[in-house]
């Protein structure tokens, strides 16, 4: 049977865009509830300096509280070797290292040139890649466009993939950080990446900034991509696109696939319950996904608004 992996990134990508601190116990509840929906992999936060992103100053506590969860791979973002060391000692076994294809975005985001980020990645690989217990994935930000540099050429993406692959990394995610991607671009960048690097498992990370996340998801699926990042409730966003929507929503991504008979392992009814919980818990964010607003169709024996359903 056809299936895809949806990686929940809400607790990381979603919460990092919320200015006010989300209390630790709420974060833990969100992660546990998401895991109970059948999500197989989840990014639960970042091991970044608390001065850089205060939202994750409690990451060690969060990891401690959820690390025993079964049937879900938990991962964290590590921006540098120091973050990787702290993540490893917390007990986390999957790291996501990220940098931008775009020079300007990387300098702004992590205050390093992409070349310096690669050097950082090499250090992390030397320290952890041979340790059989740890998996390292690399996320390439702004692979589809940059708020400073505009278009990002496919060649630039391929050069970045080449450098990452040379470090021995086997999982690479191409990220549409600011929602510049469209299905044609998705086809071009993923097809070229798969053709030149057949040994790499590629994943997609789309934002719904301009409403194209699901169209991009479907195009990526059609050309063989089977791993998709998404955030429950479509949380997330981008500081360079202040009023835009956030990540592709987990519920709509799962709904898209499930409706086509492609298994995600996600219990949609439970997941919409988590969206409701997010709306109540995080009043500062708006859960914008259409599926959450409308509810599942009747055949799923669930109607979001009982009154309207009668
Ligand atoms: Zn993102």
């Amino acid at each position: 049977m056809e299936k895809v992996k949806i990686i929940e990134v809400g607790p990381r990508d979603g919460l990092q865009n919320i200015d006010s601190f989300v209390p630790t116990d709420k974060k833990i509840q969100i992660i546990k509830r998401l895991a109970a929906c059948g999500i197989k992999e989840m990014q639960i936060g970042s091991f970044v300096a608390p001065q850089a992103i205060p939202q994750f100053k409690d990451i060690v506590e969060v990891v401690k509280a959820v690390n025993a969860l079964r049937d879900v791979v938990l991962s964290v973002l590590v921006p540098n070797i120091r973050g990787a060391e702290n993540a490893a000692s917390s007990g986390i076994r999957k790291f996501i290292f990220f940098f931008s294809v775009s020079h300007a975005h990387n300098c702004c985001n992590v205050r390093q040139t992409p070349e310096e980020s690669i050097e950082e990645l090499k250090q992390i690989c030397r320290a952890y890649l041979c340790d059989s217990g740890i998996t390292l994935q690399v996320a390439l930000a702004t692979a589809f466009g940059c708020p400073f540099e505009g278009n990002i050429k496919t060649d630039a993406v391929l050069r970045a993939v080449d450098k990452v692959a040379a470090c021995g990394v086997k999982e690479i995610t191409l990220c549409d950080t600011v929602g510049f991607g469209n299905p044609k671009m998705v086809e071009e960048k993923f097809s070229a990446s798969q053709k030149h690097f057949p040994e790499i498992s590629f994943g997609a990370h789309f934002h719904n900034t301009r409403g194209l996340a699901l169209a991009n998801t479907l195009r990526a699926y059609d050309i063989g991509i089977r791993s998709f990042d998404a955030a429950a409730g479509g949380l997330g966003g981008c500081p360079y696109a202040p009023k835009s929507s956030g990540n592709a929503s987990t519920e709509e991504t799962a709904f898209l696939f499930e409706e086509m008979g492609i298994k995600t392992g996600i219990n949609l009814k439970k997941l919409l319950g988590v969206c409701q919980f997010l709306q109540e818990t995080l009043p500062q964010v708006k859960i914008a996904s259409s599926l959450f607003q409308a509810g599942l169709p009747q055949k799923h024996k669930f109607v979001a608004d009982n009154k309207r359903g009668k």
Side-chain angles (χ1 to χ4, degrees):
M1 189 176 290
E2 278 290 323
K3 57 181 183 182
V4 295
K5 177 167 78 174
I6 297 181
I7 301 174
E8 172 61 46
V9 300
R12 195 276 305 169
D13 205 341
L15 298 191
Q16 81 181 14
N17 282 290
I18 298 176
D19 288 334
S20 50
F21 183 71
V22 177
T24 308
D25 63 315
K26 296 277 184 229
K27 287 181 185 135
I28 294 166
Q29 278 190 59
I30 291 168
I31 293 165
K32 286 185 173 173
R33 283 173 186 247
L34 284 166
C37 298
I39 281 159
K40 304 280 184 295
E41 188 166 331
M42 196 181 330
Q43 294 180 6
I44 61 167
S46 293
F47 273 84
V48 285
Q51 312 87 271
I53 307 182
Q55 187 63 267
F56 297 123
K57 65 184 178 192
D58 58 351
I59 183 67
V60 173
E61 268 177 90
V62 171
V63 170
K64 213 171 165 184
V66 299
N67 219 6
L69 283 173
R70 302 243 162 251
D71 304 322
V72 56
V73 173
L74 301 176
S75 67
V76 292
L77 245 70
V78 297
N80 47 40
I81 182 71
R82 196 161 164 210
E85 285 163 1
N86 292 337
S89 50
S90 80
I92 281 285
R93 286 294 168 262
K94 182 156 187 178
F95 301 166
I96 319 289
F97 179 83
F98 63 95
F99 68 98
S100 303
V101 180
S102 138
H103 187 276
H105 189 267
N106 208 55
C107 290
C108 191
N109 205 26
V110 292
R111 303 191 202 299
Q112 281 184 332
T113 63
E115 292 71 26
E116 286 166 338
S117 286
I118 291 283
E119 290 307 312
E120 203 80 52
L121 173 64
K122 284 181 186 164
Q123 280 191 60
I124 296 174
C125 289
R126 273 197 296 272
Y128 296 104
L129 215 55
C130 294
D131 176 344
S132 57
I134 286 177
T135 313
L136 180 65
Q137 185 176 340
V138 170
L140 292 178
T142 63
F144 297 84
C146 166
F148 309 116
E149 295 180 11
N151 236 352
I152 295 291
K153 290 204 170 93
T154 298
D155 279 353
V157 175
L158 294 177
R159 279 195 299 275
V161 171
D162 190 35
K163 285 181 188 142
V164 173
C167 296
V169 173
K170 297 277 181 262
E171 290 179 42
I172 300 177
T173 305
L174 302 187
C175 306
D176 186 14
T177 315
V178 282
F180 281 21
N182 61 56
K184 190 165 180 272
M185 217 189 257
V186 165
E187 177 174 355
E188 189 183 307
K189 294 199 194 304
F190 276 109
S191 296
S193 300
Q194 288 174 312
K195 183 176 157 223
H196 291 283
F197 304 94
E199 74 283 12
I200 301 289
S201 169
F202 287 98
H205 177 110
F206 296 126
H207 278 235
N208 200 36
T209 319
R210 293 172 180 86
L212 293 186
L214 286 181
N216 291 338
T217 298
L218 192 56
R219 195 71 201 104
Y221 175 83
D222 284 341
I223 55 167
I225 300 302
R226 294 293 179 269
S227 174
F228 297 90
D229 291 1
L235 297 185
C238 174
Y240 309 112
K243 287 183 180 166
S244 62
S245 328
N247 286 270
S249 81
T250 310
E251 60 277 16
E252 287 177 336
T253 305
F255 182 70
L256 168 75
F257 287 122
E258 292 285 341
E259 288 293 292
M260 298 194 301
I262 300 156
K263 295 292 162 207
T264 64
I266 291 173
N267 180 324
L268 274 166
K269 186 178 167 183
K270 273 194 187 172
L271 183 57
L272 290 183
V274 180
C275 293
Q276 185 64 41
F277 177 74
L278 290 173
Q279 186 157 74
E280 289 157 12
T281 311
L282 308 170
Q284 60 274 60
V285 298
K286 185 175 172 279
I287 308 293
S289 86
S290 302
L291 181 65
F292 175 66
Q293 301 301 332
L296 289 164
Q298 285 282 3
K299 61 181 177 177
H300 291 268
K301 297 192 177 59
F302 177 79
V303 178
D305 181 339
N306 282 327
K307 278 182 211 134
R308 238 182 299 153
K310 277 174 190 164

